[in-house]
């Protein structure tokens, strides 16, 4: 009789390897097999045993190294072999990470599994750029949405509701959809002067941040050659870093 192993669905955080949780790091150190995504900092793989099998499962826009069905099959195969498997995913596995699909696939074969949360990009990258998603007197709510569902099959993003129902809107995977996002926000009454922050490669040494507005977001994205991965934050909280910088400058002048 085959003995099922344990599959750990692990969130690696938004980019900085030091954002990994203690529990997640322990699972990497114990792993027989690691299936890792494109946005995982590869420094984390150095903590795995030398003999651990490492399988790249990266997904770039329109380009998948291993289709999701193939990833599920690998998890099942190694799980049924009794291996200690780590499915290492950028951010949090249950926030636009398809971790739920993997858990369902494992459950269908009775394979023991666990989910280890990670810091999702909306929180990690925004904080790294100095943007609080909620701020007293400015924003009491936020919503996260994926820009990859702007077109095509599936339930469409309800931009008509998102334009007014939350104070801060955080958009994942939206770089290529910025013209459409801008159009939809303006169409549904979002003021053109609403602040927007772009955060590219958040929490890493290559992080870049840009402030613009809904009205000029397409123009600014083109000017700075915004690339993936990037987070888009729409709302008044995008102004907070600018306010912090002004206060720090004023304080320096007083001290000087």
């Amino acid at each position: 009789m085959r003995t099922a192993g344990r599959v750990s669905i692990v969130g690696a955080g938004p980019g900085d390897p030091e954002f990994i949780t203690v529990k997640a790091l322990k699972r990497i150190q114990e792993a027989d097999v690691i299936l890792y995504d494109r946005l995982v900092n590869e420094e984390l793989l150095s903590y795995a045993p030398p003999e651990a099998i490492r399988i790249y499962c990266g997904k770039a826009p329109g380009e998948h190294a291993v289709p999701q069905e193939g990833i599920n099959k690998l998890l099942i195969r190694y799980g049924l072999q009794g291996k200690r498997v780590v499915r290492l995913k950028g951010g949090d596995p249950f926030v636009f990470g398809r971790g739920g699909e993997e858990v369902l696939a494992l459950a269908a074969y009775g394979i023991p599994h666990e989910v280890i949360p990670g810091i999702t990009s909306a929180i990690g990258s925004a904080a790294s750029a100095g943007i609080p998603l909620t701020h007293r007197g400015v924003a009491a709510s936020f919503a996260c949405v994926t820009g990859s569902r702007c077109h095509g099959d599936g339930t469409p993003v309800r931009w008509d509701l998102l334009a007014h129902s939350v104070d801060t809107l955080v958009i994942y995977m939206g770089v290529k959809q910025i013209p459409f996002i801008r159009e939809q926000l303006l169409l549904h009454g979002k003021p053109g002067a609403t602040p927007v922050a772009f955060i590219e490669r958040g929490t890493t040494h290559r992080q870049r941040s840009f402030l613009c507005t809904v009205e000029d977001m397409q123009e600014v994205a083109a000017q700075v050659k915004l690339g993936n991965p990037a987070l888009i934050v729409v709302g008044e909280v995008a102004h907070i870093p600018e306010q912090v910088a002004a206060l720090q400058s004023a304080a320096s002048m007083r001290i000087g």
Side-chain angles (χ1 to χ4, degrees), residues 121-131 133 170-171 175 196-203 206-211 226-233:
S121 296
I123 295 170
S125 294
S128 181
I131 299 173
L133 299 184
V170 184
I171 305 167
V175 172
V196 173
F198 297 138
I199 309 166
E200 182 184 279
R201 300 186 182 277
T203 79
R206 297 171 62 188
Q207 176 174 309
R208 299 195 301 163
S209 301
F210 306 96
L211 180 65
L226 189 70
N228 286 304
L231 200 70
I232 303 169
V233 181

Side-chain angles (χ1 to χ4, degrees), residues 51-117:
E51 67 275 12
I53 299 170
R54 296 159 171 81
I55 302 174
Y56 177 67
C57 300
K59 297 175 183 175
E63 181 182 342
H64 294 181
V66 182
Q68 186 61 48
E69 182 180 349
I71 294 172
N72 293 349
K73 288 180 178 179
L74 287 169
L75 294 174
I76 292 165
R77 179 199 305 170
Y78 287 116
L80 290 175
Q81 289 176 4
K83 304 293 188 182
R84 291 168 296 188
V85 183
V86 169
R87 175 70 175 105
L88 195 58
K89 308 167 80 71
D92 181 271
F94 275 9
V95 180
F96 304 125
R98 304 188 73 170
E101 296 174 45
E102 293 166 357
V103 165
L104 288 169
L106 293 166
Y109 282 81
I111 298 172
H113 58 272
E114 63 180 346
V115 178
I116 300 177

Side-chain angles (χ1 to χ4, degrees), residues 7 31 45 47 66 126 136 194 209 214 223 243:
V7 177
L45 301 179
Y47 292 98
V66 182
R136 188 164 62 92
T194 303
S209 301
V214 169
Q223 287 176 350
Q243 295 170 8

Side-chain angles (χ1 to χ4, degrees), residues 119-160:
I119 298 174
T120 187
S121 296
I123 295 170
S125 294
S128 181
I131 299 173
L133 299 184
T134 62
H135 188 72
R136 188 164 62 92
V138 177
S141 61
F142 71 92
C144 300
V145 64
T146 170
S148 65
R149 279 176 44 193
C150 288
H151 301 289
D153 298 331
T155 306
V157 175
R158 292 293 305 272
W159 296 106
D160 55 330

Side-chain angles (χ1 to χ4, degrees), residues 159-242:
W159 296 106
D160 55 330
L161 300 179
L162 291 170
H164 301 288
S165 60
V166 293
D167 298 315
T168 306
L169 182 59
V170 184
I171 305 167
Y172 290 66
M173 298 170 280
V175 172
K176 290 190 175 181
Q177 304 296 340
I178 285 175
F180 180 79
I181 292 168
R182 172 188 176 275
E183 174 188 274
Q184 288 298 302
L185 290 174
L186 292 173
L187 176 66
H188 295 294
K190 196 73 171 177
T194 303
V196 173
F198 297 138
I199 309 166
E200 182 184 279
R201 300 186 182 277
T203 79
T204 74
H205 69 281
R206 297 171 62 188
Q207 176 174 309
R208 299 195 301 163
S209 301
F210 306 96
L211 180 65
C212 57
T213 65
V214 169
E215 180 63 43
D216 65 6
M217 61 190 294
Q218 180 178 350
E219 179 182 351
V220 171
Q223 287 176 350
V224 302
K225 295 181 172 56
L226 189 70
N228 286 304
L231 200 70
I232 303 169
V233 181
V234 181
E236 295 299 326
V237 293
H239 267 320
I240 299 296
E242 190 177 60

Side-chain angles (χ1 to χ4, degrees), residues 3-81:
T3 302
R6 179 193 65 207
V7 177
S8 302
I9 311 295
V10 177
D16 185 338
E18 293 187 356
F19 281 3
I20 194 80
T21 65
V22 173
K23 189 170 187 176
L25 187 58
K26 286 181 178 178
R27 294 295 182 267
I28 294 171
Q29 292 169 334
E30 300 166 350
D32 297 313
V33 182
I34 300 179
L35 287 78
Y36 65 100
D37 280 348
R38 179 176 67 97
L39 298 182
V40 168
N41 191 310
E42 294 195 17
E43 183 179 324
L44 294 172
L45 301 179
S46 68
Y47 292 98
E51 67 275 12
I53 299 170
R54 296 159 171 81
I55 302 174
Y56 177 67
C57 300
K59 297 175 183 175
E63 181 182 342
H64 294 181
V66 182
Q68 186 61 48
E69 182 180 349
I71 294 172
N72 293 349
K73 288 180 178 179
L74 287 169
L75 294 174
I76 292 165
R77 179 199 305 170
Y78 287 116
L80 290 175
Q81 289 176 4

